[in-house]
Amino acid sequence: MELLKKKILENGKALNSEVLLVDSFLNHQVDVELMNEIGKEFARLFKDAGITKVVTIESSGIAPATMTALHMGVPMVILKKSKSAILSEDVIQTEVFSFTKRTSYQLTLKGKFIEKGDKVLLIDDFLAQGEAAFGGANIIKRAGGEVAGIGAVISKNFQPGMKRLRDAGYRVESLAPVSHMDENVIEFEDDDE
Ligand code: G4P
């Protein structure tokens, strides 16, 4: 997605070979017009997949997932990262380890929000190791849904997540597949159009 790549090059910052800072438009301050275009693009890419629900992981996936659900005309469900006291019954959980943040959390869903037969599009801001996506897919399947697609706003394809998910048979689309990074250097793969 050219608009997104341009934004990343102009406003993103590669801190090193691993970490891309995008907090001025994606995961701290949010460019809502860009999010709208991102939602439109995911809706276009997955228009024939029969999607009945968009699912994301709090917190930075919420903005792109909301816009995607809006453009697809389906509900959006947020997987929580902890079990709150009021989330008592019918809860499905799985542990996810974040390599970037070096912590684990309990990905959590109230089961009734994904029904048997739901065809789910899982949207997240970053795809890195793939742990969050595998955790999300695990929960969706246990709730009775089918993972019909996975969409990453940005994928760091030099890290293993993209390959792991595709090897597992998932259809994965990235709007900005990064092939290489270094301090102040960001390069994209050109196979996403
Ligand atoms: P994985 O989910 O693909 O396995 O990746 P990983 O554990 O490495 O990433 C976990 C968290 O780190 C995610 O945020 C993800 O968005 C974020 N992250 C990964 N790589 C980058 C990066 O290059 N730049 C930035 N800015 N973030 C990155 P999270 O813990 O889910 O936090 P939230 O922002 O969604 O609340």
Side-chain angles (χ1 to χ4, degrees), residues 7-186:
K7 187 80 176 180
I8 292 168
L9 291 174
E10 286 173 3
N11 297 91
K13 184 173 167 57
L15 293 185
N16 48 47
S17 62
E18 304 273 313
V19 178
L20 176 58
L21 201 67
V22 287
D23 59 359
S24 68
F25 61 94
L26 182 58
N27 55 19
H28 201 346
Q29 175 171 257
V30 176
D31 181 335
V32 294
E33 285 177 8
L34 180 65
M35 290 307 127
N36 187 35
E37 294 304 317
I38 285 170
K40 223 183 268 179
E41 180 62 3
F42 278 133
R44 186 186 72 78
L45 289 167
F46 289 99
K47 68 177 185 306
D48 298 324
I51 302 299
T52 60
K53 227 158 247 181
V54 173
V55 170
T56 193
I57 299 169
E58 65 175 350
S59 59
S60 303
I62 294 174
T66 302
M67 292 302 186
T68 304
L70 184 67
H71 284 284
M72 297 190 107
V74 298
M76 191 272 280
V77 176
I78 303 163
L79 301 178
K80 310 273 188 176
K81 284 185 177 159
S82 61
K83 184 179 171 181
S84 83
I86 52 167
L87 204 64
S88 52
E89 90 283 12
D90 182 27
V91 159
I92 303 171
Q93 285 192 303
T94 193
E95 184 164 300
V96 172
F97 177 71
S98 165
F99 288 89
T100 307
K101 300 194 172 166
R102 304 256 154 230
T103 55
S104 293
Y105 55 88
Q106 288 291 333
L107 206 56
T108 303
L109 168 76
K110 192 183 271 193
K112 72 174 184 180
F113 293 125
I114 293 179
E115 289 161 321
K116 197 166 164 33
D118 262 333
K119 295 188 85 170
V120 174
L121 173 57
L122 181 60
I123 297 285
D124 210 352
D125 58 336
F126 269 98
L127 173 57
Q129 306 294 325
E131 289 299 304
F134 274 108
N138 172 306
I139 284 190
I140 290 161
K141 288 190 269 190
R142 279 164 57 202
E146 176 196 336
V147 181
I150 296 173
V153 177
I154 301 170
S155 62
K156 294 186 290 183
N157 287 12
F158 53 88
Q159 293 181 343
M162 175 64 87
K163 183 171 185 318
R164 287 178 64 210
L165 288 167
R166 286 184 171 162
D167 285 351
Y170 293 110
R171 177 181 170 198
V172 191
E173 301 282 354
S174 167
L175 302 188
V178 178
S179 57
H180 172 78
M181 281 184 0
D182 221 323
E183 195 179 340
N184 295 320
V185 176
I186 304 166

